[in-house]
Amino acid sequence: MPPSEANWKPYRDLLRKFGPLEQDDVFRVLGAIQDAYGCIPREILQDVSERLHRPLAELYGAVTAYPGFRLAEPEADR
Amino acid sequence: MKGTFTLSIDGRQVHAEEGQTVLEAALAAGIDIPRLCWDPRLTPTAQCRLCLVRLEGQPGLVTSCTEKAQPGMVVVTEDDEIREVRKTILELMLSEHRLSCQTCDMDGECKLQDYAYLYGADERAFGLREFDTDPPNYTARDEAIRYDSSLCSQCERCVRVCSEVQGLDILTLMGLGSAAPQVSTAFEMPLQETDCEVCGNCIGACPTGALYERGSRGMGQLKNLEKVVTTCPYCGVGCQIALYVNRDLGRIVRVGSEIGLVPNDGSLCVKGRFGYDFIHSEDRLTHPLVKRNGRFEEATWEEALDLVAGKLGDIKSEHGPDAVAGLSSAKCTNEENYLFQKFMRAAVGTNNVDHCARLCHASTVAGLARAFGSGAMTNSIEELPRADVIFVIGSNTTECHPVLGAMIRRAAQDGRAHLIVADPRKIELTRYAQIHLQQASGSDVALVNAMMKVMLEEDLWDHRFVEERCENFEAFREEVLRTDLEEAAHVTGVPLSDIRRAARLYAGAERAAIIYSMGITQHTTGTDNVLTLANLAMLTGNVGRESTGVNPLRGQNNVQGACDVGALPDVYPGYQKVDDPDLRRKFEEAWGVTLPVEPGLTVVEMMNAAADGDIKGLYVMGENPMLSDPDIGHVKEGLERLDFLCVQDIFLSETAELADVVLPATCFAEKDGTFTSTERRIQRVRRAVAPPGEARPDWEILCDLASRMGYPMHYEHPSDVMDEIASVTPIYGGVHYERLEGTGLQWPSPTADHPGTPYLHKGRFARGKGRFHPVPYRPPAEVPDDEFPVVLTTGRKQEHWHTGTMSRRSRVLDWLLPHGELEMSPALADRYDVGDGETIRVISRRGSVEVTARVVDKPRPDSVFMAFHFREAPANVLTNPALDPIAKIPELKVCAVRLEKVAGEAEGEQEQ
Amino acid sequence: MSAVETKIVTRRVGVVPPFDLEAYRADSGCRALEKALSMTPAAVTEEVKRSGLVGRGGAGFPTGLKWELTAREEAESKYLICNADEGELGTHKDQLLLEGDPWRVLEGMTIAARAVGAGKGIIYFNEHFRSIAEQWEEMIRAAEQASLLGDDILGSGFGFRVKVCLGRGLYIAGEEMALIASIEGRRPTSRDKPPFPTQHGLFGLPTCVNNVETLANVPDIVERGADWFRSIGLEDDLGTRVITLSGDVKEERVREVAVGSSTLAEAIETFAGGTRSGRPVKAVQPGGGTSAFLAADALDTPIAQQAIARAGSSLGTAGIIVYEEGHSIVDAAVSCMEYYGRESCGRCAPCRIGTVRMLEILKQVQAGQARPGSLDQLRRIGYACAVSSTCGMGQAFPEPVLSALKLFPEEFESQLVAAPNATR
Ligand SMILES: Cc1cc2nc3c(=O)[nH]c(=O)nc-3n(C[C@H](O)[C@H](O)[C@H](O)COP(=O)(O)O)c2cc1C
Ligand code: SF4
Ligand code: SF4
Ligand code: SF4
Ligand code: FES
C-alpha cells in the first residue's frame, strides 16, 4: 500500500485522539491502527517505531505474534 | 569486591561470586551443563530448558542459566530424571529440525548435534517432517549472511546479540509463538535495507547451522577444519579472530571469533568476519617481478634480490645512504617493522624510514609525548564503555573501529555512559549522543578552548590534579582565557549553549574518556589539536585513572606497533631518539655498526625529495602512497623520478605498478609474528596457511637483502626477532612469545614479570609532570573561497580499509560497497542540482575526480565527504599536502574544492 | 443436599444497572474507596492481607502479600494491572463481573493502586470483550469527571489513571509476564521469575497484576473488614469463588459460592440442572481447561482448592467443565489440546514443540491411526513439558492429557492400530 495522504488520515485522526503518546500506549496504538485499517500498514508501523523510539523489528515481531493483527489488508477490502 | 561463597555442585564444593548463576559457577568449576540458548555475553532468557538442574530441598527443576547461585546451595546437575527430560526436549527439537548433519557445514561445532549425541536422542522419536528447501527469507539474496529456518532452534541468540551486543535491533522472531517462529527483519526486508552493519555476529552466536556465511557453504564441515586463532589484519582494535582452514583445499574458508577473548569477546565487524578472501585472491603476487623495457617479467628470488641489493648499494655508494629511503608498513608485523628499520639504519645507513602512521597519527605521537611523555592511547578498550562520559571527537568510531564503536553505542543506549560527539558530520554515534557539536572542519582547537574557558569561568576544573600533577598551567590558563566565546561559537559554528552544556557534562563526570582519531590528527594543526585534548583531560583530572584518558584510535592493525619498534625517522624502537648520543651508542653496540646521526625524512618529505631528485632509491614495504598520500599527482611525479623503486607487497598495488622490482610477500595469515593494537596490546599473529607461489614472509626477505648488502641478519623465527626487540626496547622489555598466549600483553611491560599496563600515567606521568601547552586557534591551511567554496573532508567506510588492496578484493565487502561516493547534504545537492546517484566532478587546486553523489543528511551543508579507498575515485588526488609543522602530518581532513555536475554517465574517471 | 449461593462480588449483577455511577453510588458504591483514601496505604494492604484473600486468576497467590511486595519497592512510578484477559476454557466469571458490576472492579483497582502506590493502571481485556472494553472507556471518562480517577481522587491528593488495552486473540497473553510484554509492544512471551513483576514489571517498573475477581473482592473487604471476610468459606481458603459450569450440562451457569460450601456434584445438579442428557457424569475438569480430569468417584469433592488438589486436580479458575457418560475422553482431551495447542508463547522449547506434537499424536489416536508407542510418547512429552517449562502454560497444559491417560487408559488403547510388525 503506497502511503498516500488518504491513507495517513485515519492514523492522524487516531493519534489526535491519543494525544501525546506515552510508552504504555504502544499496544493500544497498534490495536487502534488495526481497527482503523483492518491491518497494520508498513509505513505506519515505521512511524510508530520512530515516535516511540522502538526498534521496528521488535514491533514487527510483536505484531506478527497475534492472530488478531494483520500486516496486509484483508482480501475483501482490496 | 564482590563477595564469594561456596555451594555444592554434584557433590563438589565450588566457589561462586555474588551475582553468578548456578550455570556460571558450574562452568567456572569445570562442570559442564548442556545449554543451547545461553551466551555469556547476553541476558539469559532460558529458552532451550536444557540446563535444568535440581536444587536439594526444592521441588521440581530450575534452569541453571537463570538461577542465582546461593551460599550453601546443593545442586545436582544430572540424574535419571533430568537426563530423560533433556532427552525428550532434544527429541522434540529434532522433530522440528531438518536432519542434514551429513551435509551441514556446522557438523562439528553444532550444539544441537553434540547434545543429541550425548543424550542418545533419537532423531525420529517424534516422526520426521518435510521442510521447504530454502524458503525465501530476509537473507535470500544476501551475499554475506544466510538463514535457514529449517535448522533454527529458536534460541534467539542471534536476535539478542544484534540487540544487546551490536546495539542495532535488526532482528526479531516473527510469527505465532507456537508456530516455530522464524528469525527475520521487520517486514522481512533484506538486511541491506535495514541499519544492518553485516558484522555477522548473529552467525557467530548461532549454536546450529541456521545462520551461516554464504561464502563458506560447502567449503568444509567444521569437524574437518583446523582453527587458528590470530589477530585481525584490518583496524587497530586488534580483534582476536579464528581462521578456519580447510587443509584439503589449503584455504581459509571461514572466520569466527571466540567468546571470552579480549578485546572483542566474540564480536567482529564486517571486515574482520567477511574480508578474508583477499588471502586467496587470484591477484596475489606469486613471483618476484622485474621490470624490463617497461614490462614486468617473472624473476627468481636470486635475480630479484641481487638486483635490489645491487641498485640500493650503487645509489648508496654514489649519492650516500641518505639518497635511499624506505617506507615501512603498518600492515606488517612488529618483527618485520623492526627488521625494516634495522635494515635501513644498519644495512643502508640512513634514518630515512617512515610509514603511514605519519599520515594518521604522527600528531598524536608528537602531541601526547610532549604533554604526557608517551604518545599512545592512555587507557584500554575494555575500560571505555565504563566511563561516565565519553567524548568522541573526530572519530567516526562505529564506521572505522566498528567493534569498539558498538561497545560505545551500547553504553550510550543503556544510559551507562553519556556521550558527547564533536564531528562536522552527523556520524552514526550522534544518534545516541547527549550532545552533538557539529564544528566546522579544522576548528577543533577553538571548540575545546571554548569548553575549557567555560570550565575555568565556572570553576569546573580539578585544582588538586592540576596542582599536584601538572606544570605550565598559568601560561595555558592565560591563553584559554583569551578565548572569546562568541567568536569561538562563530568560528566553530556551534551554538555557545551547546559548548557550555558539553563543558559542564564533561567536567562534571567522575570518569570522562576522550576518544579521537583522524578527525583530530590529519590537520596542519594536528599536534595543536592533540595538545588541546591533553589540556582538557589534565584540566579535569581525567588521566591516569581507569575509564578516563586521551584515547587515539589507530587506523591500521599495526600502526601502533610499527611506531613502537622504530619505523620512524627520528626514533629507534621504543621512541628512543636517534639524536641522543647515548641511545645511538646503545644501538650501535647492539647492532654492531655505526649509525647515522641525523633524523631522517618523513613520508611527505620523502616524496618531495624524490620529486626534487634528492632521493634516488625507495624501498616500499606494503604501503601504497599512490592512494594513501595527499596530492597523488605530486607523489606520482616523485616516484617516477626515482632511479630505483622496489615494492614488496602482496598485490600489484598502484605504487607497485611504478616499481622496478616487485617482491611477493606474505599476508598476515601466512606468517608468525605480532601486532600491537591501538590499546598497546601486543598480540600474536599465527600462520594458518602456506603463502601462494613463491611468496615469502617479509622478515625473511629483509634478512636476505641485508645479508646481500653486507650486513648479515639471521633469525630462525620471528620470536627470535621479538627477543631482540625486547632486549633493546624498554617498553617491550618483558615481551616474549610465551607470555602472549591468550590475552597478549599491554606495554609498557619492562620486565619478564611485569603484567603489562592497562592504563598509563597512574600516579605519575611518563614524563614526570603533565605539561599544559597554551594553544591558540589557527585556521586550516586551505579555507573555502570563491573559487573553491566547499570543504572536502576524507575518511573511511566500514566496509573498506585503507587503500582497498585487501578489502576490495573481498567478495562480500565489494558487494556491499563497490565504489566510492561523495557524501553531500540535501541542501548542497540542491544548490548544485545533483540527485542521489548522479555523477559529480570534484575539483581542488591539485586535481579533479569524478564520483557518484550520495545525498545524505550527514555532512554540514558547507562540506562534502569522500572515502579514500577507491582507485577509480582517489580522494587523495584532491587533498592538500600542507604539513603540520611539528608532526609533519598532512592536512588530509580539510581542503577546499569546487563541485561541477557532470552531464554524462561517465563515472569514476580521473584526470590530474 | 443442594448447593447455595453466597453473593458478594456478584451481589449487584442483574440487580443494579451496570455502568451507571448514580445507581452504583446509591447501592453503597464508592464507600470502600472513600474509606481506603482515609486510611494509610499500608493499613489498606494490611487489611487485605489479614483477610486471607488469594488471587482468583488461577495461581492463588496471596493478594495482600503481592500488594506489600509492590508497595515495598521504591520507584518513581508503579503500575496496577487488572487482568481481564479471561481465556481459560470453560471460565466466564470475569466477564460476568466486567459487564455486570464494572464500577466494583474499577473501585477495587483504585483501592489496590492506592495500596501499592501505583499511579498508572491498565486493564487488559480479552479480544472477545471488545464491546465491554468500549463501555469501560466511557466509564473511565465518567470516573475522571466524577473525580474517581485522575490526579486528585476525591480530593485525597492520590492520583491514578487507567488505560484500556484490548487483547488480540492470544490466550497466553493472560499469563502475567506475557501480559506485560504484550502491553510493552514486545512479543507476548513469558519469562522466568525472579525478578517478579512486583519488582521489575511493566517497562521495568514495580507492577501489581491482579485478576478481575480478585479486585472485585477488595471493596467489601475494605468496607466490612478482614474479619467479616474471614467468616466466609474455609479456614484455609476464604471467601467465595465464582464458578462457571459448562460442558455437558443442561444450562451453562456462573454462580458465586462460599468456598467449600458445596461439592462438585451439588453444584452441577443445583445450578446447571445436571447433565445435558441426564446420563451420569463421567468426568469433570474443576479448574478450567488446563486442569486435570477427575472421574465420577471424585464428584463429592467440595469446591475448595485443597480438597480438589487432594483429589488430583486443581481449582484454577473454578471453571467446572462437565463430561457425561458417553463423551469420549479422547475427544475431550483433543478439544483441550486443540484449544491450547496453538497457544504456547513459543519461548520454552518443550512447550512450543510439545504442544504441537501432543496435538498431532492425539489426533492420530482419535482417528484410530496411532501406533502403540504413541501413548508413551504423550506421557513423555507431557511430563517433560510439565517439569521443564517456565510458566503455568507449559506446566499445566499436559494435565488433561496425562490425567485422561491415567483415568481412562482403555479408551486410548482401544483406539490404537495393532502394530503390523510386532517386533518394532
Ligand atoms: C497460560 C496462562 C494464562 C493465564 N490467563 C489469565 C487470565 O486470563 N486472567 C487472569 O486473571 N490470570 C491469568 N493467568 C494468571 C496470571 O498469570 C496471574 O497469575 C494473575 O493474573 C494474577 O492475578 P491474581 O493474583 O489476582 O490471581 C494466566 C496464567 C497462565 C499461566
Ligand atoms: S538462527 Fe541460530 S541463533 Fe538465531 S534463533 Fe535460530 S538457532 Fe538461534
Ligand atoms: S573492529 Fe577492527 S580489528 Fe575488529 S574485526 Fe573489525 S576491522 Fe578487525
Ligand atoms: S511454558 Fe510455554 S507459554 Fe510458558 S513461557 Fe514457556 S513456552 Fe511460553
Ligand atoms: S541454557 Fe538455560 S534454558 Fe537454555
Side-chain angles (χ1 to χ4, degrees), chain B residues 45-49 52 61 63 81 84-85 87-89 91-93 95-96 125-126 129 153-154 172-175 177-178 181, chain C residues 170 187 192 341-350 352-357 360-361 377 380-381 383-385 387-390:
Chain B
T45 50
Q47 291 170 243
C48 73
R49 317 305 288 177
L52 291 165
L61 305 173
T63 41
E81 185 197 359
E84 173 60 21
V85 171
K87 183 174 166 191
T88 308
I89 295 174
E91 288 178 347
L92 285 170
M93 286 179 176
S95 78
E96 302 237 304
F126 300 118
R129 255 143 289 274
S153 73
Q154 278 83 20
T172 176
L173 288 186
M174 69 166 182
S178 60
Chain C
L170 263 194
R187 288 178 64 80
D192 290 87
R342 291 185 186 84
E343 291 294 345
S344 168
C345 80
R347 220 192 49 126
C348 307
R352 179 186 74 239
I353 312 170
T355 43
V356 180
R357 284 299 90 82
E360 270 171 21
I361 299 171
Q377 288 187 335
R380 276 188 66 204
I381 300 176
Y383 180 74
C385 286
V387 298
S388 72
S389 299
T390 291

Coordinates of all heavy atoms in Angstrom, one line a residue, chain B residues 45-49 52 61 63 81 84-85 87-89 91-93 95-96 125-126 129 153-154 172-175 177-178 181, chain C residues 170 187 192 341-350 352-357 360-361 377 380-381 383-385 387-390:
Chain B
T45 N 17.8 -15.9 28.8 CA 16.4 -16.0 28.6 C 15.8 -17.4 28.8 O 14.6 -17.5 28.8 CB 16.0 -15.5 27.2 OG1 16.8 -16.2 26.3 CG2 16.2 -14.0 27.1
A46 N 16.7 -18.3 29.0 CA 16.2 -19.7 29.4 C 15.2 -20.2 28.4 O 14.1 -20.6 28.8 CB 15.7 -19.7 30.8
Q47 N 15.5 -20.3 27.2 CA 14.5 -20.8 26.2 C 14.6 -22.3 25.9 O 13.6 -22.9 25.6 CB 14.7 -19.9 24.9 CG 14.2 -18.5 25.2 CD 14.5 -17.5 24.1 OE1 15.3 -16.6 24.4 NE2 14.0 -17.7 23.0
C48 N 15.9 -22.8 25.9 CA 16.0 -24.2 25.5 C 15.6 -25.2 26.6 O 15.3 -26.3 26.3 CB 17.4 -24.5 25.0 SG 18.6 -24.5 26.3
R49 N 15.7 -24.8 27.8 CA 15.4 -25.6 29.0 C 16.3 -26.8 29.2 O 15.9 -27.7 29.9 CB 13.9 -26.0 29.0 CG 12.9 -24.9 28.6 CD 12.9 -23.7 29.4 NE 12.4 -23.8 30.7 CZ 12.4 -22.7 31.6 NH1 12.9 -21.6 31.2 NH2 12.0 -22.9 32.8
L52 N 18.5 -27.5 32.9 CA 17.8 -27.8 34.1 C 18.6 -28.5 35.1 O 19.4 -29.4 34.7 CB 16.6 -28.6 33.8 CG 15.5 -28.0 33.0 CD1 14.5 -29.0 32.4 CD2 14.7 -27.0 33.9
L61 N 12.5 -28.7 39.0 CA 13.8 -28.4 38.4 C 13.8 -26.9 38.1 O 12.8 -26.3 37.9 CB 13.9 -29.2 37.1 CG 13.7 -30.7 37.2 CD1 13.7 -31.4 35.8 CD2 14.8 -31.3 38.1
T63 N 16.1 -23.8 35.8 CA 17.1 -23.6 34.8 C 18.4 -22.9 35.4 O 18.3 -21.9 36.0 CB 16.6 -22.7 33.7 OG1 15.9 -21.6 34.2 CG2 15.7 -23.5 32.7
E81 N 16.2 -38.6 36.0 CA 15.0 -37.8 35.6 C 15.5 -36.7 34.7 O 14.9 -36.4 33.6 CB 14.3 -37.2 36.8 CG 13.0 -36.5 36.4 CD 12.4 -35.6 37.4 OE1 13.0 -35.5 38.5 OE2 11.4 -35.0 37.1
E84 N 16.4 -37.9 31.3 CA 15.2 -38.2 30.5 C 14.6 -37.0 29.9 O 14.2 -36.9 28.8 CB 14.3 -39.1 31.4 CG 12.9 -39.4 30.7 CD 13.0 -40.2 29.4 OE1 14.1 -40.8 29.2 OE2 12.1 -40.1 28.6
V85 N 14.4 -36.0 30.8 CA 13.8 -34.7 30.4 C 14.6 -34.1 29.2 O 14.1 -33.7 28.2 CB 13.6 -33.8 31.5 CG1 13.1 -32.4 31.0 CG2 12.6 -34.3 32.5
K87 N 16.6 -35.5 27.2 CA 16.5 -36.3 26.0 C 15.2 -36.0 25.3 O 15.1 -35.8 24.1 CB 16.6 -37.8 26.4 CG 16.5 -38.7 25.2 CD 16.8 -40.2 25.6 CE 16.4 -41.1 24.5 NZ 16.3 -42.5 24.9
T88 N 14.1 -35.9 26.1 CA 12.8 -35.6 25.4 C 12.8 -34.2 24.8 O 12.3 -34.1 23.6 CB 11.7 -35.6 26.5 OG1 11.8 -36.9 27.2 CG2 10.3 -35.5 25.8
I89 N 13.4 -33.3 25.5 CA 13.4 -31.9 24.9 C 14.2 -32.0 23.6 O 13.8 -31.4 22.5 CB 14.1 -30.9 25.8 CG1 13.2 -30.8 27.1 CG2 14.3 -29.6 25.2 CD1 13.8 -29.9 28.2
E91 N 14.7 -34.5 21.6 CA 14.0 -35.2 20.6 C 12.9 -34.3 20.0 O 12.6 -34.3 18.8 CB 13.4 -36.5 21.1 CG 14.5 -37.5 21.3 CD 14.1 -38.9 21.9 OE1 12.9 -38.9 22.4 OE2 14.9 -39.8 21.9
L92 N 12.3 -33.5 20.9 CA 11.3 -32.6 20.4 C 11.9 -31.6 19.4 O 11.4 -31.2 18.3 CB 10.6 -31.8 21.5 CG 9.6 -32.6 22.3 CD1 9.2 -31.9 23.6 CD2 8.3 -32.9 21.5
M93 N 13.1 -31.1 19.8 CA 13.8 -30.1 18.9 C 14.1 -30.8 17.6 O 14.0 -30.2 16.5 CB 15.1 -29.6 19.6 CG 14.9 -28.7 20.7 SD 16.5 -28.2 21.4 CE 16.0 -27.0 22.6
S95 N 12.6 -33.0 16.2 CA 11.4 -33.3 15.4 C 11.0 -32.0 14.5 O 10.3 -32.1 13.6 CB 10.2 -33.6 16.3 OG 9.6 -32.5 16.9
E96 N 11.6 -30.9 14.9 CA 11.4 -29.7 14.1 C 12.6 -29.3 13.3 O 12.7 -28.1 12.8 CB 11.0 -28.5 15.0 CG 9.8 -28.8 15.8 CD 8.7 -27.8 15.6 OE1 9.0 -26.6 15.8 OE2 7.6 -28.2 15.3
A125 N 12.2 -39.9 17.0 CA 11.3 -40.3 18.0 C 9.9 -39.7 17.8 O 8.9 -40.4 18.1 CB 11.9 -39.8 19.4
F126 N 9.8 -38.5 17.4 CA 8.5 -37.9 17.2 C 8.3 -37.7 15.7 O 7.6 -36.7 15.3 CB 8.4 -36.6 18.0 CG 8.6 -36.8 19.4 CD1 9.6 -36.2 20.1 CD2 7.7 -37.7 20.1 CE1 9.8 -36.5 21.5 CE2 7.8 -37.9 21.5 CZ 8.9 -37.3 22.2
R129 N 9.5 -34.7 9.6 CA 8.7 -33.8 8.9 C 9.3 -33.3 7.6 O 10.6 -33.4 7.5 CB 8.4 -32.5 9.8 CG 7.0 -32.5 10.4 CD 7.1 -31.9 11.8 NE 7.7 -32.9 12.7 CZ 7.0 -33.9 13.3 NH1 5.7 -34.0 13.1 NH2 7.6 -34.7 14.0
S153 N 16.8 -23.3 16.0 CA 16.3 -23.8 17.2 C 15.5 -22.7 18.0 O 15.2 -22.9 19.2 CB 17.4 -24.3 18.1 OG 18.2 -23.2 18.6
Q154 N 15.3 -21.6 17.4 CA 14.5 -20.5 18.0 C 15.1 -20.1 19.4 O 14.4 -19.7 20.3 CB 13.1 -21.0 18.3 CG 12.2 -20.8 17.1 CD 12.3 -22.0 16.1 OE1 12.7 -23.1 16.5 NE2 11.9 -21.8 14.9
T172 N 14.4 -10.1 14.8 CA 13.3 -10.5 15.7 C 12.9 -11.9 15.3 O 13.2 -12.4 14.3 CB 12.1 -9.5 15.6 OG1 11.0 -10.0 16.4 CG2 11.5 -9.5 14.1
L173 N 12.1 -12.5 16.2 CA 11.4 -13.7 15.8 C 10.1 -13.2 15.2 O 9.6 -12.2 15.7 CB 11.1 -14.7 16.9 CG 12.3 -15.5 17.4 CD1 11.8 -16.5 18.5 CD2 13.1 -16.2 16.3
M174 N 9.6 -13.9 14.2 CA 8.3 -13.4 13.7 C 7.3 -14.6 13.7 O 7.7 -15.7 13.5 CB 8.4 -12.8 12.4 CG 8.7 -13.7 11.3 SD 8.5 -13.0 9.7 CE 8.9 -14.3 8.6
G175 N 6.0 -14.3 13.8 CA 5.0 -15.3 13.7 C 4.5 -15.7 15.0 O 5.0 -15.4 16.1
G177 N 3.8 -17.6 18.4 CA 4.8 -18.3 19.2 C 4.9 -19.8 19.0 O 5.9 -20.4 19.0
S178 N 3.7 -20.4 18.8 CA 3.6 -21.8 18.8 C 4.0 -22.4 17.4 O 4.1 -23.6 17.3 CB 2.2 -22.3 19.2 OG 1.3 -21.7 18.2
P181 N 8.3 -19.9 15.3 CA 8.6 -18.6 14.8 C 10.0 -18.5 14.2 O 10.9 -19.2 14.6 CB 8.5 -17.7 16.0 CG 8.7 -18.6 17.2 CD 8.1 -19.9 16.8
Chain C
L170 N -4.9 -13.9 21.8 CA -3.9 -14.8 22.3 C -4.2 -15.2 23.7 O -4.2 -14.3 24.6 CB -2.5 -14.2 22.2 CG -1.6 -14.5 21.0 CD1 -0.2 -14.1 21.4 CD2 -1.6 -16.0 20.6
R187 N 7.0 -9.1 21.8 CA 6.4 -10.4 21.6 C 5.8 -10.9 22.9 O 6.5 -10.9 23.9 CB 7.3 -11.4 21.0 CG 7.7 -11.1 19.5 CD 8.7 -12.1 19.0 NE 8.2 -13.5 18.9 CZ 7.4 -13.9 18.0 NH1 7.0 -13.1 17.0 NH2 6.9 -15.2 18.0
D192 N 11.2 -16.4 33.0 CA 11.3 -17.0 34.4 C 11.3 -15.9 35.4 O 11.7 -14.7 35.2 CB 12.7 -17.7 34.5 CG 12.7 -19.0 33.6 OD1 13.0 -18.9 32.4 OD2 12.3 -20.0 34.2
G341 N -3.2 -26.0 22.1 CA -2.1 -26.5 21.3 C -1.4 -25.4 20.5 O -0.3 -25.5 20.0
R342 N -2.1 -24.3 20.3 CA -1.5 -23.2 19.4 C -1.3 -22.0 20.3 O -1.1 -20.9 19.8 CB -2.5 -22.8 18.3 CG -2.6 -23.9 17.3 CD -3.4 -23.5 16.1 NE -3.5 -24.7 15.2 CZ -4.5 -25.7 15.4 NH1 -5.4 -25.5 16.4 NH2 -4.5 -26.7 14.6
E343 N -1.3 -22.2 21.6 CA -1.2 -21.0 22.5 C 0.2 -20.9 23.2 O 0.3 -20.0 24.0 CB -2.3 -21.1 23.5 CG -3.7 -20.9 22.9 CD -3.8 -19.5 22.3 OE1 -3.0 -18.6 22.7 OE2 -4.8 -19.2 21.6
S344 N 1.1 -21.8 23.0 CA 2.4 -21.6 23.6 C 3.0 -20.3 23.1 O 2.8 -19.9 22.0 CB 3.3 -22.7 23.2 OG 4.7 -22.4 23.6
C345 N 3.6 -19.6 24.1 CA 4.2 -18.3 23.6 C 5.4 -18.6 22.8 O 6.0 -17.7 22.2 CB 4.6 -17.4 24.8 SG 6.1 -17.9 25.6
G346 N 5.9 -19.8 22.8 CA 7.0 -20.2 21.9 C 8.4 -20.0 22.5 O 9.4 -20.3 21.8
R347 N 8.4 -19.7 23.7 CA 9.7 -19.4 24.3 C 10.4 -20.7 24.8 O 11.6 -20.9 24.4 CB 9.6 -18.4 25.5 CG 10.7 -17.4 25.5 CD 10.7 -16.7 26.7 NE 10.7 -17.7 27.8 CZ 11.5 -17.8 28.8 NH1 12.4 -16.9 28.9 NH2 11.4 -18.7 29.7
C348 N 9.7 -21.5 25.5 CA 10.4 -22.7 26.0 C 10.3 -23.8 24.9 O 9.2 -24.1 24.4 CB 9.7 -23.3 27.2 SG 9.5 -22.1 28.6
A349 N 11.4 -24.3 24.6 CA 11.4 -25.3 23.5 C 10.4 -26.5 23.8 O 9.6 -26.8 22.9 CB 12.8 -25.9 23.3
P350 N 10.4 -27.0 25.0 CA 9.5 -28.2 25.2 C 8.0 -27.8 25.1 O 7.2 -28.6 24.5 CB 9.8 -28.6 26.6 CG 10.6 -27.5 27.3 CD 11.3 -26.8 26.2
R352 N 6.8 -25.1 23.3 CA 6.5 -24.7 22.0 C 6.3 -26.0 21.1 O 5.3 -26.0 20.3 CB 7.6 -23.9 21.4 CG 7.4 -23.4 20.0 CD 8.6 -22.7 19.4 NE 9.7 -23.6 19.1 CZ 10.9 -23.6 19.6 NH1 11.2 -22.6 20.5 NH2 11.8 -24.4 19.3
I353 N 7.2 -26.9 21.2 CA 7.1 -28.0 20.3 C 6.2 -29.1 20.9 O 5.4 -29.8 20.1 CB 8.5 -28.6 20.0 CG1 9.5 -27.5 19.7 CG2 8.5 -29.6 18.9 CD1 10.9 -27.9 19.6
G354 N 6.3 -29.2 22.2 CA 5.5 -30.3 22.8 C 4.0 -30.1 22.6 O 3.3 -31.1 22.3
T355 N 3.5 -28.9 22.7 CA 2.0 -28.7 22.4 C 1.7 -29.2 21.0 O 0.7 -29.9 20.9 CB 1.7 -27.2 22.5 OG1 2.7 -26.4 21.8 CG2 1.6 -26.7 23.9
V356 N 2.5 -28.8 20.1 CA 2.1 -29.2 18.7 C 2.2 -30.7 18.5 O 1.3 -31.3 17.9 CB 3.1 -28.4 17.8 CG1 2.8 -28.8 16.3 CG2 3.0 -26.9 18.0
R357 N 3.3 -31.3 19.0 CA 3.4 -32.7 18.9 C 2.3 -33.5 19.6 O 1.7 -34.4 19.1 CB 4.8 -33.2 19.4 CG 6.0 -33.0 18.6 CD 6.1 -33.6 17.3 NE 5.5 -32.7 16.3 CZ 6.2 -31.7 15.7 NH1 7.4 -31.5 16.0 NH2 5.6 -30.9 14.8
E360 N -0.8 -33.4 17.6 CA -0.7 -34.3 16.4 C -1.0 -35.7 16.8 O -1.7 -36.4 16.2 CB 0.7 -34.2 15.9 CG 1.0 -33.2 14.8 CD 2.5 -33.1 14.5 OE1 3.3 -34.1 14.8 OE2 2.9 -32.0 14.0
I361 N -0.3 -36.1 17.9 CA -0.4 -37.5 18.3 C -1.8 -37.8 18.7 O -2.4 -38.9 18.4 CB 0.6 -37.9 19.4 CG1 2.0 -37.6 18.9 CG2 0.4 -39.3 19.9 CD1 3.1 -37.7 20.0
Q377 N 4.6 -41.8 24.2 CA 5.1 -40.5 23.7 C 4.4 -39.4 24.4 O 5.0 -38.4 24.8 CB 5.0 -40.4 22.2 CG 6.0 -41.4 21.5 CD 6.0 -41.1 20.0 OE1 5.0 -40.7 19.5 NE2 7.1 -41.4 19.4
R380 N 5.6 -39.0 27.8 CA 6.9 -38.4 27.9 C 6.9 -37.0 27.6 O 7.5 -36.2 28.4 CB 7.8 -39.1 26.8 CG 8.4 -40.4 27.2 CD 9.4 -40.8 26.2 NE 10.6 -40.0 26.1 CZ 11.3 -39.8 25.0 NH1 11.1 -40.5 23.9 NH2 12.4 -39.0 25.1
I381 N 6.2 -36.6 26.6 CA 6.2 -35.1 26.3 C 5.5 -34.4 27.4 O 6.0 -33.3 27.9 CB 5.4 -34.9 24.9 CG1 6.1 -35.6 23.8 CG2 5.4 -33.4 24.6 CD1 5.3 -35.5 22.5
Y383 N 5.2 -35.1 30.5 CA 6.0 -35.0 31.7 C 7.1 -34.0 31.5 O 7.4 -33.1 32.4 CB 6.6 -36.4 32.0 CG 7.4 -36.4 33.2 CD1 6.8 -36.3 34.5 CD2 8.8 -36.4 33.1 CE1 7.5 -36.2 35.6 CE2 9.5 -36.3 34.3 CZ 8.9 -36.3 35.5 OH 9.7 -36.2 36.7
A384 N 7.8 -34.1 30.4 CA 8.9 -33.1 30.2 C 8.5 -31.7 30.2 O 9.1 -30.8 30.8 CB 9.7 -33.5 28.8
C385 N 7.4 -31.4 29.5 CA 6.8 -30.1 29.5 C 6.5 -29.6 30.9 O 6.9 -28.5 31.3 CB 5.6 -30.0 28.7 SG 5.9 -30.0 26.9
V387 N 7.6 -30.5 33.8 CA 8.7 -30.2 34.7 C 9.7 -29.2 34.2 O 10.5 -28.7 35.0 CB 9.4 -31.5 35.2 CG1 8.5 -32.4 35.8 CG2 10.1 -32.1 34.0
S388 N 9.7 -28.9 32.9 CA 10.7 -28.0 32.5 C 10.3 -26.7 32.0 O 11.1 -25.8 31.6 CB 11.5 -28.8 31.3 OG 10.7 -28.8 30.2
S389 N 9.0 -26.4 31.9 CA 8.6 -25.1 31.3 C 8.6 -24.0 32.3 O 8.5 -24.2 33.5 CB 7.2 -25.3 30.7 OG 7.2 -26.3 29.7
T390 N 8.6 -22.8 31.7 CA 8.7 -21.6 32.6 C 7.4 -21.3 33.3 O 7.4 -21.0 34.5 CB 9.0 -20.4 31.6 OG1 10.3 -20.5 31.2 CG2 8.9 -19.1 32.4

